[in-house]
Amino acid sequence: MTEPRRKRGAERTSNRGPAPIAQLRPRRVINPYPPMALLSPDQIEAIHQASMHILENFGIEVMSPRALSLFEKAGAKVDHASANVRVDRGMIDEALKTTRSGYTLTPRNPANTIHLGGNTINFTLVAGPPNVHDMERGRRAGNLRDYADLTRLAQHFNCVHMLGNQVCAPVELPANSRHLDTYFTNLTLTDKSFHVSAIGRGRALDGIEMMAIARGMTLDQMADDPGIATIISVNSPRRFDEMMAEGLMTMAEYGQSVAVTPFTLMGAMSPVTLAGALAQQNAEALFGVVLTQLVRPGAPVMYGAFTSNVDMKSGAPAFGTPENTKANIASGQLARRYGLPYRTTPGSASNVADAQGAYETLMALWGAVLGHGNLVYHAAGWQEGGLTASFEKFIIDVEMIQHMMEFLRPIVVDEAELAVEALGAVPTGGHFFGEPHTLERYATAFYQPMLSNWQNYEAWQEAGGLDATARATRLWKKALEDYVEPVMNIAVREALEAYVAKRKEAIGQGEP
């Protein structure tokens, strides 16, 4: 568990500088524009039919006896010797009848409720890297101190709506119980919802139990009002391992959100063609959706997509490519075809927080937005193809997310905005700087970036000549100075501490 870092009045204020970091206010982000359609209805149907052929004729390997039993009881063709399961389109259709097109996740602070589905878009902190990096201390193994600081940054910035599963792995802690320390950190240093680890039943159930404690609810109550989520990564091609299957079934059993996400890298874990990769992704995602509904009809589930390509020269994963961007958009069309909320991801293969990292991430982010993603996972801090959580990249990503949020504000066209009187008042060849219409609006007329620098060259040089990455270093350090820990009832905190201690003792040297 982390030592809480609470703000200390004047001691912190003296180091803060003249003003807080400019950022957008908290809000539910709505995508008001029609989703982009790269695929025609006939092409969507062709991908659907190919997916049905995969499920009916090739099947999916399921390395969980419990899951095999559920499929067999439901009428699937199960070969226990090979653990292969084949489901027909009728079973898919029946499962989709009980899924939901939208639902909410409520954390301990209801003001931070997450809406998944429809036209709402949410952005999360990066999740899962084994390493962490900043420009002052360099690249290092993930650890709990950095984990806590990145969690604080997610709490501080309003555009990060949700935490992912372990922003970096605290490798100094025992692998079998570190999830308890990270859940405790998430629940005490933020009041936002988060993703739990679904590597087996125990880790998933611990996250469910701890969120219920933090919300003062029973498990039955939280089953009807979910507060957490998980990502189930399919071992593509066509395999659900036992730990992932058990995690999925546990989350569904207790009514918590699952995003079934095939790991389809074209040329490696899926066909080299985009159509083939989408057909495989679609089959694997739908198979996981069926499993959630066999466990608990109506369990909240999302259509997850993570299709990108590899570098065919080296086999290394690539992200933010044109193919990745097209896959993000096309996957949104598939999710809407089945009436499911949609999880997607921006990303970059750059090893540093540089121009490559920014343009690859923004390319994929556009795909996520144009594809009407509801949950944009790994949105802030992803670096090195997901192997590193970067403090500077977090700030750069927050700036890009805020740009996107402002882009999604509809244009207002009314008498005041048309400014016809102002146009008539300014003479030909004049300017609008001193016009009352401008003076009434100048402070809020445009998005004010926190990272961009609009000084002329001489003024920029005089101020230190810092590039965007160097400015990002200053910003994450200031954000940590300005961070305020959300209040938690002392009895709730003690209950969480007691749960962690009890579970660590019960786990011992074994698996949770």
Side-chain angles (χ1 to χ4, degrees), residues 21 134-137 149 153 157 391-392 394-395 471-481:
I21 297 170
D134 68 71
M135 296 301 293
E136 295 188 342
R137 293 168 290 181
D149 276 344
L153 291 177
F157 286 99
F391 282 78
E392 281 79 20
F394 173 92
I395 294 295
R471 295 194 299 273
T473 301
R474 288 188 171 184
L475 283 173
W476 70 253
K477 292 173 72 174
K478 172 148 180 63
L480 288 179
E481 290 179 355

Side-chain angles (χ1 to χ4, degrees), residues 69-132:
S69 178
L70 282 171
F71 277 110
E72 192 167 43
K73 289 178 181 177
K77 296 177 181 178
V78 177
D79 183 335
H80 288 275
S82 64
N84 182 269
V85 179
R86 287 180 290 162
V87 301
D88 61 31
R89 60 196 68 205
M91 188 176 293
I92 301 291
D93 291 341
E94 286 302 309
L96 290 171
K97 288 178 182 177
T98 60
T99 58
R100 294 186 249 171
S101 61
Y103 52 89
T104 59
L105 299 179
T106 306
R108 69 181 180 92
N109 180 1
N112 291 325
T113 293
I114 297 293
H115 299 263
L116 296 172
N119 291 332
T120 303
I121 184 168
N122 304 279
F123 302 95
T124 83
L125 185 61
V126 65
N131 305 300
V132 66

Side-chain angles (χ1 to χ4, degrees), residues 131-142 146 150 168 351-353 381 383-384 387-394 469 476:
N131 305 300
V132 66
H133 178 273
D134 68 71
M135 296 301 293
E136 295 188 342
R137 293 168 290 181
R139 187 175 183 267
R140 53 200 180 274
D146 285 323
L150 287 161
C168 66
N351 295 309
V352 293
Q383 189 166 287
E384 196 187 339
L387 294 178
T388 295
S390 164
F391 282 78
E392 281 79 20
K393 183 61 161 44
F394 173 92
T469 306
W476 70 253

Side-chain angles (χ1 to χ4, degrees), residues 36 38 266 274 307-309 319-331 342 344-345 359-368 370-371:
M36 187 174 185
L38 287 183
M266 290 179 280
L274 190 50
T307 293
S308 191
N309 57 287
F319 300 98
T321 63
E323 295 78 15
N324 180 207
T325 303
K326 286 191 281 189
N328 282 353
I329 297 171
S331 296
Y342 172 40
T344 182
T345 295
Y359 67 68
E360 287 180 347
T361 299
L362 190 58
M363 186 78 174
L365 183 59
W366 269 115
L370 294 173

Side-chain angles (χ1 to χ4, degrees), residues 4 13 50 92-93 117 175 180 263 296 380 385 438 449 455 457 484:
T13 304
I92 301 291
D93 291 341
L180 296 165
F263 189 42
R296 185 188 183 105
T438 302
Q455 295 173 300
Y457 184 79
V484 178

Side-chain angles (χ1 to χ4, degrees), residues 229-249:
T230 198
I231 302 293
I232 297 298
S233 297
V234 181
N235 293 83
S236 303
R238 299 172 32 240
R239 171 183 287 169
F240 278 72
D241 69 38
E242 183 172 15
M243 299 294 271
M244 284 283 101
E246 289 296 326
L248 178 151
M249 289 186 289

Side-chain angles (χ1 to χ4, degrees), residues 129-251:
N131 305 300
V132 66
H133 178 273
D134 68 71
M135 296 301 293
E136 295 188 342
R137 293 168 290 181
R139 187 175 183 267
R140 53 200 180 274
N143 58 85
L144 193 58
R145 178 182 176 84
D146 285 323
Y147 184 105
D149 276 344
L150 287 161
T151 302
R152 291 181 177 100
L153 291 177
Q155 173 70 14
H156 182 79
F157 286 99
N158 300 323
C159 69
V160 180
H161 301 107
M162 189 175 188
L163 279 68
N165 169 34
Q166 295 196 8
V167 58
C168 66
V171 298
E172 78 275 24
L173 300 178
N176 65 340
S177 63
R178 68 172 64 135
H179 65 283
L180 296 165
D181 299 283
T182 59
Y183 295 165
F184 183 86
T185 301
N186 295 346
L187 286 165
T188 56
L189 299 186
T190 79
D191 55 9
K192 298 180 180 181
S193 189
F194 62 94
H195 279 66
V196 303
S197 173
I199 304 175
R201 182 175 179 82
R203 291 177 177 86
L205 189 52
D206 283 332
I208 298 168
E209 294 261 21
M210 291 178 71
M211 178 58 89
I213 291 170
R215 293 177 66 190
M217 301 175 73
T218 66
L219 295 184
D220 285 342
Q221 288 172 327
M222 207 168 81
D224 295 325
D225 184 10
I228 56 171
T230 198
I231 302 293
I232 297 298
S233 297
V234 181
N235 293 83
S236 303
R238 299 172 32 240
R239 171 183 287 169
F240 278 72
D241 69 38
E242 183 172 15
M243 299 294 271
M244 284 283 101
E246 289 296 326
L248 178 151
M249 289 186 289
T250 302
M251 292 290 284

